[in-house]
């Protein structure tokens, strides 16, 4: 199917240089595949780091009473867990996938701005080292929640908060640079014939995500800058004493924060839209409606931020507007789920590991969507708000949603990346182990939340004991499953059955039709033909 | 789209983050969010426009925040008022310190929907208040509740919180 | 082989979990669903919650049912051959419009409930000001001159390392807030430091308390009883340890309680008039310190480096008594140090200041009398 070998032979003289040798290859690389790999490894390390903090949280919550950590340290754990998972695991993983996949999906030789690409990655290890180092400083790591509401994060926070602010600035700069690169690549470097409406949905969702990133990461930067000047330079943006308003912090934060949660799920939609048709051996149902639904979700995401703030004392008119806008999002999201189910309908399905993760995504993301709809109904949200019901909701969309799609993407594309098939039996064990564990972990949290357990507490009353113990057991099992995943990843990189160029019987797209597995270090130096 | 043009978007959005601060104030003015009250000039008030058919209870609360050695109380805890008429209420503040101290009062009205109809012609919250050691001061507040206030509102609470402005 | 072993282990875990479920089912208080409310608005919320929940369940059954059907019947191993359809405008319109109609069906009752929830129409009978303070609640009955602090009960503090069998662990306070039934109560929320949220599930009241601003909420309690809740907004170190207990009683009992609270306040004022001995001040000071100060400054006065200063050797404590009293009475702006003038009476502040100066590794040697505190208010 592919014609790359002949290209290689023809253009061998001036293009056939491989990667540099040794460690410097990774430090100086401008190759999109290398940078994609770096991002994915960083995300994995952060997943294990954030995960180990989750283990400490679940250990302390295993039974009532304070057995393992102090409340102040517990708050540091919940805060750092959130920050690391959002900014360190999920977002870099998606950027890594974009780096690896966008050029080979649109027939481009590399990213549009390869040097900036190197920079946007290498900022991150410094940002996270700085953030993580606060744990060992006097005053400890940030302990005000990943949402860092003022004035707890300004007047009442320890000096280490300044490191947190600087780290957030660096992450923001990295994300914005990465996003600009992705947009420039998609808009300027598509192979002839690859029109916008022929692009794979992963490329489409990333294009929209990248626009969201450049629109909202600077707002977050603005918010932390205001925090910084409030803390040190005598301004009072969030301090009522000087005419400011702490609730305004929440408005600015969630103006960033709500689009941010879509930044973490839109690329997942693209991944699932690639995997389901492959294993149903049937084209994706409603391609154009998928594109429009993604765009409408992105636009709506700017208009619903205050649904995180129904208990701050908004006027009724505001609450009504934000309720209507919020539940409206379930329409385009529903369209996506219906399209996936219809793609499977009358297909010819097989259930290799990537398909299992994708199916798991659809079911559990939909459960997270249901609880999201419930949370959107403003009057009842006054009861759900800031309880474990919310914790269950966003872990269903972020763990069994975003993370599941990332793992699905790994199994789906790793044969393409490495040329080795992963071990199918281990992959399936990984899926069933994780899926049972994750439901034991998060489903009971709906119950304790409804029964009245607030989130972010290190200890709880005895009525919540049984479910918390179950949840912790699920948590430990899920954590262990991801260590097992690390083993699978290393095993696959080191060797395995050789993968064909197409890898999957039903796979389509430039990366499967025109490139060998693994692809050459420099691929598509000449644009492939697009049908 | 060239990368340079793209880079303009985050710069603009960074500015927009700060623009949200004044925008938020405008938004609050319109919706009554956060219960900040308005200020009008005495000359703007039409003395003939008093709605005597309605009576609203206005309750006053006084709080001091950390660091301020003041005792702060409303002289009258609540009043029955008619919309459209100007009333005066007095708050008494007493310093328990021997030093000179500086404070700023921040008003808040509840329910939020009443805030946009609650206007003041004179208030001790318009300026910073400086008290000499052990000084006691009566501070007046002249206010008017607009006649266009919703029929649903029968009780209004006006709260003042004094914040310390003594840095260090 | 490996797979067999794993599945056997799995079986063990599953049966273990199942037995835990059945064990705990024996506990009566074990809840799966939202707490049922004792206020009319709360019952409305519960109804709305159930409505949306059932709508989600029905949609779930349809969507997951269709998925399961194709997973079972449209699989390659059963010889299914893929169809090739990939577009249908009609279908797309249907599954955009039908969800929209369902949403309208949810939005109509939700709007009604929301308007009822924000009900300012009728006069409230009682106004209760609730102030969030790190990490306790202050209640002020604004028409009655009754005000007190309510914090986590000692019975819960004593058993944090092993609360087994401690009923209402972390949900018990030293001083519950007492409210009459069948009266419209208006809550005014305020904070003296960070943002807190006052939440009692059975009253269906959850509202943020924000420094500098007031928020309000209403409730009419229809059934006498004790209702428990917790702070619902992360407010720092002891966020998990600031419970709320509402004791709903008949009007007569409420009036009686008000009288006793006023008598209590008068007695406390009288005890502030007398001179106290060092021994009595130290004994009382220790109790006050452990209840109010030890959360930040540590039970032994060591503090938390970088976050909260130590008492031992503190320049404020070792310095002039007036400066020490000023910090305790008025707090320190721009820090987490609260003003205790609204929380503790003259005797308690005098006792705790004396204690800090002469215990926790300090030995200044002087004594502070309640009259000095009175002078500083």
């Amino acid at each position: 199917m592919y014609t790359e070998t002949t290209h290689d032979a023809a253009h061998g003289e001036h293009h056939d240089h491989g990667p540099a040798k040794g460690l410097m290859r990774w430090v100086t690389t401008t190759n999109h595949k290398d940078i994609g790999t770096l991002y994915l490894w960083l995300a994995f390390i952060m997943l294990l780091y954030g995960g180990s903090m989750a283990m400490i949280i679940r250990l302390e919550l295993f039974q009532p009473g304070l057995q393992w950590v102090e409340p102040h340290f517990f708050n540091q754990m919940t805060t750092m867990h959130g920050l690391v998972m959002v900014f360190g695991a999920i977002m870099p993983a998606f950027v890594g996938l974009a780096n690896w996949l966008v050029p080979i999906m649109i027939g481009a030789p590399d990213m549009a701005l390869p040097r900036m690409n190197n920079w946007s990655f290498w900022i991150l290890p410094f940002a996270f080292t700085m953030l993580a180092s606060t744990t060992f400083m006097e005053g400890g790591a940030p302990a005000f929640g990943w949402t860092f509401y003022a004035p707890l994060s300004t007047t009442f926070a320890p000096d280490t908060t300044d490191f947190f602010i600087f780290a957030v600035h660096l992450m923001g700069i990295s994300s914005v640079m990465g996003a600009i690169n992705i947009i420039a690549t998609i808009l300027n470097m598509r192979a002839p014939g690859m029109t916008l409406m022929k692009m794979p949905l992963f490329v489409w969702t990333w294009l929209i995500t990248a626009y969201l990133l450049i629109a909202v990461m600077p707002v977050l930067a603005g918010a932390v800058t205001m925090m910084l000047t409030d803390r040190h330079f005598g301004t009072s943006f969030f301090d009522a004493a000087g005419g400011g308003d702490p609730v305004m912090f929440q408005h600015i934060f969630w103006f960033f924060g709500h689009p941010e949660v879509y930044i973490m799920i839109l690329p997942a939609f693209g991944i699932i839209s690639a995997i389901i048709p492959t294993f149903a051996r049937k084209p994706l149902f409603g391609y154009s409606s998928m594109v429009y639904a993604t765009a409408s979700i992105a636009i709506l995401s700017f208009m619903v931020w205050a649904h995180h703030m129904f208990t701050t004392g908004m006027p009724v008119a505001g609450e009504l507007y934000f309720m209507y806008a919020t539940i409206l999002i379930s329409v385009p999201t529903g369209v996506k789920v219906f399209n996936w189910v219809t793609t499977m309908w009358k297909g010819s399905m097989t259930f290799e590991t990537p398909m299992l993760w994708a199916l798991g995504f659809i079911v559990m993301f939909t459960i997270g969507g249901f609880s999201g709809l419930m949370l959107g109904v403003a009057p009842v949200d006054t009861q759900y708000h800031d309880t474990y019901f919310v914790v269950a909701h966003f872990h269903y969309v972020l763990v069994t949603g975003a993370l599941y799609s990332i793992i699905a993407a790994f199994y789906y594309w790793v044969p393409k990346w490495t040329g080795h098939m992963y071990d199918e039996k281990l992959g399936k064990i990984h899926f069933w182990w994780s899926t049972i564990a994750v439901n034991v972990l998060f489903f009971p949290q709906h119950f304790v939340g409804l029964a009245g357990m607030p989130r972010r507490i290190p200890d709880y009353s005895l009525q919540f004991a049984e479910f918390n113990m179950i949840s912790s057991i699920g948590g430990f099992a899920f954590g262990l499953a991801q260590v097992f995943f690390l083993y699978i990843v290393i095993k696959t990189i080191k060797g395995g059955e050789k993968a064909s160029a197409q890898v999957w019987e039903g796979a389509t797209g430039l990366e499967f039709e025109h490139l060998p597995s693994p692809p050459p270090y420099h691929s598509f130096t000449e644009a492939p033909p697009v049908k | 789209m060239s990368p340079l043009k793209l880079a303009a978007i985050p710069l603009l959005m960074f500015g927009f983050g700060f623009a949200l601060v004044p925008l938020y104030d405008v938004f609050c003015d319109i919706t009554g969010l956060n219960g900040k009250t308005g200020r009008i000039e005495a000359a703007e008030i039409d003395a003939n426009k008093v709605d005597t058919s309605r009576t609203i209870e206005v309750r006053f609360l006084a709080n001091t925040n950390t660091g301020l050695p003041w005792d702060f109380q409303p002289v009258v805890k609540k009043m029955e008022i008619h919309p459209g008429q100007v009333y005066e209420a007095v708050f008494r503040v007493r310093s328990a310190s021997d030093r000179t101290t500086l404070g700023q009062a921040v008003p808040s009205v509840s329910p939020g929907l009443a805030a946009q109809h609650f206007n003041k012609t004179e208030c001790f919250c318009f300026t910073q208040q400086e008290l000499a050691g052990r000084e006691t001061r009566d501070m007046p507040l002249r206010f008017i509740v607009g006649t266009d206030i919703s029929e649903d509102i029968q009780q209004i609470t006006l709260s003042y919180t004094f914040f310390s402005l003594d840095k260090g | 082989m490996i797979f067999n072993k794993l599945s056997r282990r799995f079986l063990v875990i599953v049966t273990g979990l199942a037995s835990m479920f059945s064990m705990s089912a024996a506990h009566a208080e074990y809840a799966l669903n939202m707490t049922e409310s004792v206020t009319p608005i709360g019952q409305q919320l519960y109804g709305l919650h159930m409505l949306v929940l059932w709508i989600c369940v029905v949609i779930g059954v349809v969507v997951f049912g269709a998925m399961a059907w194709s997973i079972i019947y449209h699989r390659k191993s059963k010889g299914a051959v893929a169809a090739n359809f990939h577009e249908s405008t009609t279908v797309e319109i249907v599954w955009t419009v039908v969800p929209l109609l369902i949403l309208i069906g949810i939005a109509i009752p939700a709007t009604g409930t929301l308007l009822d929830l924000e009900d300012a129409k009728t006069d409230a009978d009682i106004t209760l000001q609730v102030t969030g303070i790190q990490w306790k609640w202050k209640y002020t009955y604004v028409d009655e001159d009754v005000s007190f602090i309510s914090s986590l009960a000692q019975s819960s503090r004593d058993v944090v390392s092993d609360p087994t069998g401690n009923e209402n662990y972390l949900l018990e306070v030293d001083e519950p807030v007492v409210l009459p039934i069948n009266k419209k109560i208006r809550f005014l929320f305020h904070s003296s430091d960070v943002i807190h949220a006052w939440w009692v599930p059975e009253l269906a009241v959850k509202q943020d308390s924000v420094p500098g601003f007031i928020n309000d909420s209403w409730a009419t309690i229809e059934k006498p009883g004790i209702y428990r809740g917790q702070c619902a907004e992360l407010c720092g170190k002891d966020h998990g340890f600031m419970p709320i207990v509402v004791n709903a009683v008949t009007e007569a009992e409420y009036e009686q309680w008000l009288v006793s609270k006023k008598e209590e306040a008068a007695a406390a004022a009288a005890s502030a008039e007398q001179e106290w001995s060092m021994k009595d001040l130290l004994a009382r000071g220790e109790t006050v310190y452990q209840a109010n100060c030890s959360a930040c400054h540590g039970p032994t006065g060591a503090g938390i480096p970088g976050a909260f200063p130590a008492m031992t050797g503190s320049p404020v404590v070792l310095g002039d008594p007036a400066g020490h009293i000023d910090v305790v009475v008025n707090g320190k702006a721009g820090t987490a140090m609260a003003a205790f003038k609204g929380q503790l009476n003259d005797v308690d502040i005098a006792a705790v200041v004396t204690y800090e100066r002469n215990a926790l590794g300090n030995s200044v040697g002087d004594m502070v009398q309640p009259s000095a505190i009175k002078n500083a208010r």
Side-chain angles (χ1 to χ4, degrees):
Chain A
M1 282 291 283
Y2 61 91
T3 51
E4 195 58 33
T5 33
T6 50
H7 286 163
D8 271 359
H11 302 277
E13 295 95 331
H14 48 275
H15 280 303
D16 195 26
H17 57 88
K21 292 279 176 285
L23 195 65
M24 284 314 280
R25 165 185 175 180
W26 300 103
V27 178
T28 59
T29 185
T30 55
N31 181 289
H32 74 100
K33 301 184 183 75
D34 282 356
I35 293 174
T37 305
L38 285 172
Y39 266 112
L40 289 171
W41 272 113
L42 175 81
F44 206 151
I45 292 164
M46 288 292 135
L47 178 77
L48 296 176
Y49 173 46
S52 58
M53 289 188 281
M55 294 302 108
I56 294 174
I57 294 169
R58 284 317 323 169
L59 184 66
E60 182 54 60
L61 293 174
F62 186 71
Q63 59 189 73
L66 289 174
Q67 287 87 11
W68 301 92
V69 296
E70 291 297 311
H72 186 60
F73 188 72
F74 183 89
N75 287 346
Q76 296 176 35
M77 288 297 104
T78 52
T79 305
M80 290 289 283
H81 167 73
L83 290 169
V84 165
M85 287 305 199
V86 167
F87 295 105
I90 301 294
M91 288 172 67
F94 280 133
V95 180
L97 290 171
N99 262 290
W100 247 108
L101 296 172
V102 167
I104 61 175
M105 280 178 161
I106 62 172
D110 204 308
M111 297 293 278
L113 308 159
R115 275 198 193 85
M116 192 165 90
N117 208 9
N118 173 290
W119 271 89
S120 60
F121 171 77
W122 277 108
I123 285 175
L124 285 180
F126 292 100
F128 285 104
T129 307
M130 183 154 50
L131 185 62
S133 67
T134 56
T135 309
F136 308 101
M137 294 179 192
E138 260 198 8
F144 29 69
W146 87 276
T147 52
F148 52 102
Y149 281 3
L152 189 61
S153 62
T154 54
T155 318
F156 293 82
D159 293 340
T160 52
T161 307
D162 299 333
F163 288 93
F164 156 81
I165 291 172
F166 195 46
V168 170
H169 269 305
L170 289 181
M171 292 168 204
I173 290 169
S174 159
S175 291
V176 167
M177 284 177 11
I180 288 178
N181 208 347
I182 288 166
I183 298 175
T185 307
I186 295 172
L187 294 186
N188 300 323
M189 308 212 18
R190 296 190 311 279
M194 176 61 80
T195 60
L196 286 176
M197 291 309 276
K198 270 189 191 164
M199 292 194 308
L201 262 170
F202 179 74
V203 181
W204 252 118
T205 51
W206 241 115
L207 179 64
I208 293 167
T209 303
Y211 273 109
L212 286 181
L213 274 170
I214 58 173
V216 301
M217 288 309 285
V219 176
L220 176 70
V224 293
T225 307
M226 290 181 219
M227 265 175 72
L228 188 74
T229 59
D230 265 15
R231 285 170 57 82
H232 296 297
F233 305 112
T235 59
S236 28
F237 288 105
F238 309 130
D239 185 2
D245 185 346
V247 176
M248 182 177 74
F249 174 85
Q250 298 181 26
H251 282 283
I252 297 176
F253 179 84
W254 286 114
F255 187 85
F256 146 79
H258 201 77
E260 167 70 16
V261 305
Y262 290 102
I263 287 167
M264 292 188 284
I265 202 67
L266 293 185
F269 293 161
I271 292 166
I272 303 306
S273 301
I275 293 175
I276 299 286
T278 296
F279 296 98
R281 291 167 182 76
K282 198 167 147 276
L284 182 70
F285 187 84
Y287 170 88
S288 46
S289 75
M290 285 298 229
V291 173
Y292 299 138
T294 310
S296 10
I297 292 173
I299 291 165
L300 280 172
S301 75
F302 284 101
M303 306 182 191
V304 296
W305 74 91
H307 67 212
H308 297 269
M309 304 168 54
F310 282 139
T311 64
T312 53
M314 242 188 291
V316 187
E319 293 195 6
L320 284 175
Y321 162 73
F322 283 111
M323 171 172 76
Y324 298 148
T326 302
I327 59 179
L328 201 59
I329 294 187
S330 56
V331 174
T333 316
V335 166
K336 288 189 163 287
V337 174
F338 300 145
N339 278 333
W340 290 323
V341 174
T342 315
T343 306
M344 287 183 252
W345 190 259
K346 289 201 186 289
S348 170
M349 279 199 275
T350 51
F351 302 92
E352 288 86 345
T353 305
M355 183 63 161
L356 290 179
W357 288 93
L359 293 174
F361 170 95
I362 295 178
V363 172
M364 289 180 277
F365 172 76
T366 306
I367 293 174
F370 287 145
S371 56
L373 175 63
M374 295 171 76
L375 285 160
V377 180
V380 243
D381 178 69
T382 58
Q383 289 295 290
Y384 307 139
H385 179 72
D386 267 339
T387 66
Y388 260 82
F389 190 79
V390 178
V391 176
H393 159 71
F394 67 72
H395 281 98
Y396 263 89
V397 291
L398 284 177
V399 176
T400 59
L403 181 63
Y404 262 49
S405 79
I406 292 164
I407 296 174
F410 167 81
Y411 284 112
Y412 184 65
W413 278 291
V414 78
K416 172 55 63 186
W417 297 337
T418 62
H420 305 140
M421 290 304 285
Y422 58 87
D423 186 322
E424 188 66 51
K425 196 199 236 166
L426 295 188
K428 282 185 170 144
I429 292 173
H430 179 211
F431 171 75
W432 286 109
W433 179 358
S434 296
T435 301
I436 292 169
V438 85
N439 283 290
V440 173
L441 166 56
F442 292 122
F443 209 80
Q445 296 186 356
H446 289 114
F447 303 139
V448 286
L450 289 175
M453 180 167 162
R455 66 191 281 206
R456 294 165 166 165
I457 56 174
D459 197 4
Y460 47 82
S461 72
L462 304 185
Q463 56 175 320
F464 308 125
E466 288 88 354
F467 279 136
N468 270 290
M469 189 177 281
I470 293 169
S471 186
S472 285
I473 292 169
F476 302 143
F478 187 73
L480 211 55
Q482 305 329 310
V483 178
F484 178 58
F485 181 41
L486 179 65
Y487 167 73
I488 297 176
V489 172
I490 293 170
K491 185 171 187 276
T492 311
I493 292 171
K494 286 200 157 169
E497 199 189 313
K498 277 220 56 75
S500 70
Q502 201 194 359
V503 184
W504 312 106
E505 189 189 23
T508 56
L510 296 182
E511 79 273 32
F512 292 115
E513 289 164 15
H514 292 280
L515 288 178
S517 306
Y521 193 58
H522 294 286
S523 47
F524 291 139
T525 43
E526 200 148 286
V530 179
K531 286 190 291 277
Chain B
M1 213 187 267
S2 78
L4 223 57
K5 276 189 204 152
L6 279 173
I9 300 179
L11 286 178
L12 275 175
M13 288 307 291
F14 185 69
F16 177 73
F18 285 88
L20 280 173
V21 175
L23 279 175
Y24 177 75
D25 280 341
V26 173
F27 184 69
C28 290
D29 258 4
I30 296 167
T31 59
L33 185 87
N34 88 3
K36 278 186 185 160
T37 53
R39 176 181 185 174
I40 54 171
E41 296 306 319
E44 289 172 44
I45 296 166
D46 181 356
N48 300 323
K49 242 184 99 185
V50 178
D51 183 358
T52 49
S53 65
R54 288 185 62 195
T55 307
I56 297 174
E57 180 195 293
V58 178
R59 179 184 292 282
F60 305 106
L61 291 180
N63 302 291
T64 49
N65 216 288
T66 48
L68 201 59
W70 291 3
D71 181 59
F72 174 47
Q73 303 291 344
V75 172
V76 179
K77 276 189 184 170
K78 58 180 176 183
M79 291 169 89
E80 301 283 327
I81 61 124
H82 297 304
Q85 191 168 327
V86 180
Y87 293 86
E88 185 177 282
V90 176
F91 285 70
R92 182 166 297 158
V93 64
R94 179 178 60 76
S95 169
S97 172
D98 299 322
R99 307 172 273 127
T100 303
T101 39
L102 191 62
Q104 168 73 52
V106 174
S108 176
V109 165
S110 147
L113 280 180
Q116 51 194 317
H117 304 287
F118 199 103
N119 285 300
K120 287 170 286 194
T121 59
E122 190 188 336
C123 176
F124 52 91
C125 61
F126 291 164
T127 54
Q128 299 174 355
Q129 300 290 325
E130 192 178 71
L131 289 194
R134 301 279 164 189
E135 182 185 348
T136 300
R137 182 182 296 170
D138 279 352
M139 302 179 299
L141 157 74
R142 292 176 66 79
F143 67 93
I144 177 168
V145 174
T147 45
D148 48 352
I149 191 167
S150 157
E151 293 282 335
D152 289 349
I153 294 170
Q154 303 192 5
Q155 284 177 316
I156 299 175
T157 306
L158 172 62
S159 147
Y160 282 102
T161 306
F162 253 113
F163 286 86
S164 170
L165 291 183
D166 297 316
K167 295 282 174 198
Chain C
M1 252 280 289
I2 297 169
F3 204 77
N4 260 346
K5 235 190 232 163
L6 268 175
S7 61
R8 215 174 312 134
R9 246 169 243 172
F10 231 102
L11 214 67
V12 174
I13 295 172
V14 171
T15 42
L17 283 176
S19 67
M20 272 173 63
F21 262 97
S22 54
M23 234 167 57
S24 31
H27 291 203
E29 76 270 27
Y30 190 79
L32 292 173
N33 202 351
M34 187 186 271
T35 318
E36 289 206 50
S37 180
V38 292
T39 64
I41 186 75
Q43 284 144 16
Q44 227 175 312
L45 288 184
Y46 183 82
L48 190 58
H49 158 72
M50 290 314 287
L51 171 78
V52 184
L53 181 63
W54 280 115
I55 289 175
C56 289
V57 168
V58 171
I59 299 173
V61 166
V62 173
V63 173
F64 299 149
M67 235 176 114
W69 183 276
S70 40
I71 287 172
I72 294 165
Y73 293 101
H74 306 149
R75 54 166 69 208
K76 200 184 176 198
S77 56
K78 286 209 167 173
V81 181
N84 200 33
F85 63 86
H86 57 87
E87 226 158 17
S88 161
T89 315
T90 328
V91 175
E92 298 276 1
I93 290 174
V94 168
W95 66 40
T96 308
V97 172
V98 172
L100 257 177
L101 294 177
I102 296 173
L103 287 185
I104 293 171
I106 294 173
I108 290 170
T111 305
T113 309
L114 190 64
L115 293 177
D116 289 345
L117 191 65
E118 299 289 328
D119 166 35
K121 282 184 197 126
T122 51
D123 279 2
D125 302 305
I126 291 171
T127 302
L128 177 69
Q129 187 184 357
V130 180
T131 308
I133 302 169
Q134 282 182 324
W135 294 281
K136 51 198 148 227
W137 297 97
K138 183 181 179 183
Y139 299 102
T140 309
Y141 292 75
V142 290
D143 291 321
E144 301 288 348
D145 268 330
V146 168
S147 130
F148 57 91
I149 297 280
S150 174
S151 56
L152 181 66
Q154 196 59 39
S155 61
S156 288
R157 290 177 200 268
D158 289 341
V159 294
V160 281
S161 56
D162 181 19
T164 320
N166 186 301
E167 207 194 345
N168 300 321
Y169 172 61
L170 295 187
L171 295 177
E172 195 77 86
V173 296
D174 52 359
E175 190 76 79
V177 58
V178 177
L179 291 170
I181 51 166
N182 297 325
K183 292 271 176 195
K184 186 171 174 183
I185 296 145
R186 174 173 197 230
F187 299 93
L188 292 172
F189 298 102
H190 181 257
S191 166
S192 69
D193 37 53
V194 300
I195 299 176
H196 304 268
W198 197 82
W199 181 34
V200 180
E202 279 139 321
L203 305 193
V205 175
K206 184 191 282 155
Q207 194 68 252
D208 287 4
S209 74
V210 182
F213 299 92
I214 51 169
N215 271 329
D216 50 15
S217 192
W218 291 264
T220 308
I221 308 170
E222 290 186 325
K223 223 171 88 190
I226 292 174
Y227 306 112
R228 296 169 197 278
Q230 281 176 277
C231 176
E233 179 67 67
L234 179 63
C235 55
K237 181 172 153 289
D238 280 356
H239 161 58
F241 305 91
M242 51 183 292
I244 297 152
V245 178
V246 173
N247 189 4
V249 296
T250 60
E251 203 185 346
E253 287 170 305
Y254 169 71
E255 295 294 343
Q256 216 179 341
W257 173 81
L258 278 180
V259 170
S260 71
K261 282 311 280 184
K262 286 174 187 166
E263 282 167 0
E264 234 174 75
S271 76
E273 297 297 322
Q274 70 196 55
E275 282 282 300
W276 284 61
S277 75
M278 185 68 143
K279 187 165 149 278
D280 291 343
L281 282 175
L282 284 179
R284 181 145 179 175
E286 184 171 7
T287 320
V288 176
Y289 180 86
Q290 295 305 342
N292 294 283
C293 317
S294 64
C296 296
H297 297 298
T300 59
I304 298 177
F308 303 110
M311 286 284 97
T312 314
S314 152
V316 173
V317 174
L318 299 182
D320 176 38
H324 188 180
I325 291 170
D326 179 46
V327 170
V328 177
V329 169
N330 298 307
K332 200 161 158 44
T335 71
M337 180 63 198
F340 281 91
K341 64 180 166 195
Q343 305 184 34
L344 298 174
N345 62 34
D346 293 347
V347 177
D348 285 340
I349 295 178
V352 81
V353 170
T354 308
Y355 176 76
E356 285 167 0
R357 298 176 79 78
N358 298 295
L360 307 169
N362 299 326
S363 50
V364 183
D366 57 1
M367 214 181 349
V368 172
Q369 288 297 336
S371 54
I373 309 299
K374 199 174 177 192
N375 192 38
R377 288 190 190 252

